[in-house]
Amino acid sequence: MSTGTSYALTMATRRLNQNRVITLNCGLGRDSITMMCLLAEGLLQATIDGTLQPIAPEDIDAIVFSNTGCEWDHTYQVLPRARALALLMGVRFVVLEKAAEVVEDRDEPATGWDRIEAKATAGAYHLRPAIMDDLQSRATVVSLGKGDCTDNHKIQPIRKFIADVARLLHGVDSNASWSSKVRAGLRLPHLTLIGIAADETSRLANGGHGPDYVTEAYPLVEMGIAKPDEAAILRRWGLNDVRKSGCFMCPYQPIAWYWALSVTQPDAWARAVHYEDVALARNAKMNVTGVRIDGVLARLPQLVERWRAANPEATVDAVLDKQYSRCNKDARAQRKVDTATVGHAALVTA
């Protein structure tokens, strides 16, 4: 791993977070870890207050991972390495865990960073259980293209966390109060840095107008860093083996990833199949992928069996090392390839 000390000499006197909270939202995948590497090298930039500006580690109040409770094992395995990189930079790394039980004092104001981190560990910033448990309790599945899973299990918990940090560091007692001060011109909106690569900008169209108290910036987009560019950056830090992150039952992922799940995490695979069964029992049109074969909705085991028959030589590493798009249009196009007739020339084994 590189020493990554150049930032300290050139940016130590400037703090973009003096009058707001700045977080780097880390999903532990290639995009967000690339942002962390660039931050450590003093190369990260983002459009802030209308101007593309360099961002130093001391400008970041916290790097935040919001645990959905259903991430792939390879995602969770990145966590100690991300913590180590954050420690090297002197940036706080906070994991917003899911609650193992009811959190009685989730709305109690935090009086210090120790209390904020204790609340994060206890699950106080999440209002919902693990994503699949949440959906299964309502006998439904994640909706392709709706995006409510990201909002409920990542965005909203991080915004609750930001409210506590703002109360601690700036004395403003709620996000609503911060919004009113932004509208009055008395405060700058908080800033969250989000890892979306420059060749996935169609994902930005899924968002809408957010609350007044917070705005978003997309450093990789604004720096022109696409998926292929990330490898060289990650390699400098010995992190090029980091894989795409995501929930193991994500409807965006290719059928090949479900096959890899069945091989590498059989318990999680069984949970995903049961999750689909519960939804289908409620509504015969509610399968996970939305795929039809010969006009009939296809279940996960059928799709995995079909894909494997067409790709008998594929390996788990080849499948999981391949990126896939979360853009709705591209995801649907890839799904057509994955579910084509067995033996179709377009089927991809790598």
Side-chain angles (χ1 to χ4, degrees), residues 64-309:
V64 188
F65 168 59
S66 184
N67 186 4
T68 67
C70 293
E71 303 283 341
W72 280 76
D73 283 351
H74 65 244
T75 298
Y76 290 122
Q77 288 165 6
V78 176
L79 187 54
R81 301 165 76 187
R83 287 186 186 277
L85 181 54
L87 181 63
L88 183 65
M89 291 187 282
V91 181
R92 193 179 302 273
F93 194 103
V94 180
V95 178
L96 308 186
E97 297 286 8
K98 288 292 184 180
E101 55 189 28
V102 175
V103 181
E104 300 292 346
D105 56 351
R106 68 168 65 249
D107 295 321
E108 179 184 326
T111 56
W113 272 111
D114 288 349
R115 177 58 187 151
I116 288 177
E117 295 196 0
K119 288 179 67 173
T121 300
Y125 295 109
H126 280 276
L127 296 180
R128 296 170 181 262
I131 184 169
M132 195 162 66
D133 295 337
D134 177 33
L135 292 161
Q136 191 166 320
S137 70
R138 292 178 279 129
T140 188
V141 295
V142 173
S143 172
L144 184 65
K146 189 175 180 181
D148 55 344
C149 52
T150 299
D151 186 65
N152 290 330
H153 297 272
K154 292 192 174 184
I155 295 173
Q156 294 307 323
I158 290 174
R159 288 178 177 174
K160 284 176 63 65
F161 166 81
I162 287 171
D164 261 1
V165 177
R167 183 184 297 111
L168 175 66
L169 300 183
H170 303 287
V172 178
D173 63 5
S174 69
N175 285 332
S177 296
W178 198 283
S179 283
S180 66
K181 293 180 183 298
V182 170
R183 290 192 294 270
L186 301 176
R187 291 281 183 177
L188 295 169
H190 304 308
L191 179 67
T192 57
L193 306 179
I194 298 176
I196 293 180
D199 50 355
E200 271 199 315
T201 54
S202 58
R203 287 177 61 191
L204 302 182
N206 294 332
H209 176 70
D212 292 327
Y213 63 83
V214 65
T215 189
E216 297 174 348
Y218 307 91
L220 302 182
V221 172
E222 293 154 11
M223 296 174 69
I225 296 174
K227 293 285 188 186
D229 304 319
E230 294 176 347
I233 298 166
L234 293 167
R235 196 175 293 117
R236 293 198 292 265
W237 291 83
L239 291 166
N240 194 37
D241 60 317
V242 171
R243 288 169 166 158
K244 183 176 179 64
S245 63
C247 295
F248 59 71
M249 27 55 70
C250 177
Y252 287 101
Q253 68 187 6
I255 304 305
W257 277 54
Y258 284 110
W259 168 76
L261 180 70
S262 72
V263 174
T264 62
Q265 297 178 231
D267 289 345
W269 165 247
R271 288 179 62 201
V273 171
H274 181 62
Y275 153 79
E276 183 179 57
D277 287 344
V278 170
L280 286 170
R282 173 189 174 190
N283 183 338
K285 297 182 179 180
M286 201 176 289
N287 66 338
V288 167
T289 63
V291 171
R292 292 176 180 269
I293 296 177
D294 297 328
V296 179
L297 284 171
R299 295 180 61 249
L300 288 173
Q302 177 188 6
L303 291 170
V304 166
E305 181 180 3
R306 185 182 180 94
W307 180 89
R308 185 57 174 168

Side-chain angles (χ1 to χ4, degrees), residues 253-256 303 306-307 311 333-340 347-348:
Q253 68 187 6
I255 304 305
L303 291 170
R306 185 182 180 94
W307 180 89
N311 300 273
Q334 183 60 47
R335 190 59 50 76
K336 288 181 180 179
V337 173
D338 288 343
T339 56
L347 283 167
V348 180

